[in-house]
Amino acid sequence: MIQIRHALITDLNSILQIVNREIIYGTAFWMTKVRTYDEQLVWFENHEKEGFPIFVAVNEQQKILGFATYGHFRAYDGYKHTVEHSVYLIPEAQGQGLGKKLMKHLVNYASQNNVHVMVAAITANNQASIRLHEWFGFKHAGILPQTGIKFEKWLDLLFMYKIIN
């Protein structure tokens, strides 16, 4: 049985592995330099300090299968009720409904914690992520063409949003 819980500092190596795998092989995370443990620790500590959640999905053996989080959309006061979120899974856990479980948990948490709008910034050809967001009622807000580059290819950025309350 899959359990979703708040991430612990002891989960950081597993989260780092998921992040670095996406940096090395994927286009969902537009970084090209792998993160160090210390960099990921700063990210974790900043989320805790700001009161932003980090949830992990674990199996019966407590293996981390994915994580979901949100943080500032923009760091100005006027955006304080808007967050940008992320959901990442290990490859073996993809296509099994785990993304929906993590997203449901994240949206429910946001609705209880003064979030008005959730924003997704998605690589425009990531059909799995787009379908996941549409399933949760996220609306398309527009595409910024050729906004980023990875693997020597220009990438388009799709924004989607959901008004929570």
Side-chain angles (χ1 to χ4, degrees):
M1 173 150 207
I2 302 299
Q3 175 192 9
I4 298 178
R5 60 169 171 77
H6 281 280
L8 307 170
I9 193 75
T10 54
D11 299 325
L12 202 51
N13 275 320
S14 295
I15 292 170
L16 179 61
Q17 288 175 3
I18 293 169
V19 167
N20 280 340
R21 185 182 193 295
E22 185 58 32
I23 290 171
I24 294 168
Y25 300 109
T27 58
F29 200 16
W30 292 10
M31 291 182 72
T32 56
K33 181 179 170 254
V34 296
R35 285 187 174 175
T36 65
Y37 180 87
D38 289 339
E39 290 168 330
Q40 200 69 30
L41 178 61
V42 168
W43 169 86
F44 185 90
E45 290 172 341
N46 284 340
H47 269 64
E48 281 193 331
K49 182 177 76 176
E50 297 283 345
F52 293 132
I54 304 169
F55 296 111
V56 292
V58 297
N59 65 13
E60 295 86 1
Q61 295 77 35
Q62 295 301 300
K63 178 181 179 179
I64 294 178
L65 305 175
F67 74 96
T69 187
Y70 62 69
H72 293 290
F73 171 64
R74 296 191 73 186
Y76 304 120
D77 292 345
Y79 296 102
K80 66 183 173 186
H81 298 291
T82 301
V83 296
E84 183 176 345
H85 67 279
S86 301
V87 177
Y88 290 100
L89 304 175
I90 63 172
E92 310 89 86
Q94 294 172 358
Q96 299 174 26
L98 184 56
K100 282 184 180 178
K101 289 179 183 177
L102 278 165
M103 180 71 88
K104 181 179 180 183
H105 201 82
L106 197 62
V107 170
N108 287 343
Y109 185 88
S111 72
Q112 297 169 14
N113 285 277
N114 214 20
V115 171
H116 182 63
V117 177
M118 291 181 74
V119 174
I122 303 169
T123 307
N125 66 354
N126 186 339
Q127 292 303 312
S129 184
I130 294 167
R131 283 191 307 273
L132 173 68
H133 285 83
E134 289 172 342
W135 197 87
F136 279 93
F138 281 74
K139 306 291 183 206
H140 291 247
I143 293 178
L144 300 175
Q146 299 182 13
T147 308
I149 191 166
K150 194 163 182 187
F151 307 127
E152 300 180 19
K153 288 183 174 178
W154 287 106
L155 302 173
D156 298 342
L157 184 64
L158 167 66
F159 279 104
M160 297 181 77
Y161 71 95
K162 179 178 180 72
I163 297 175
I164 303 294
N165 53 22

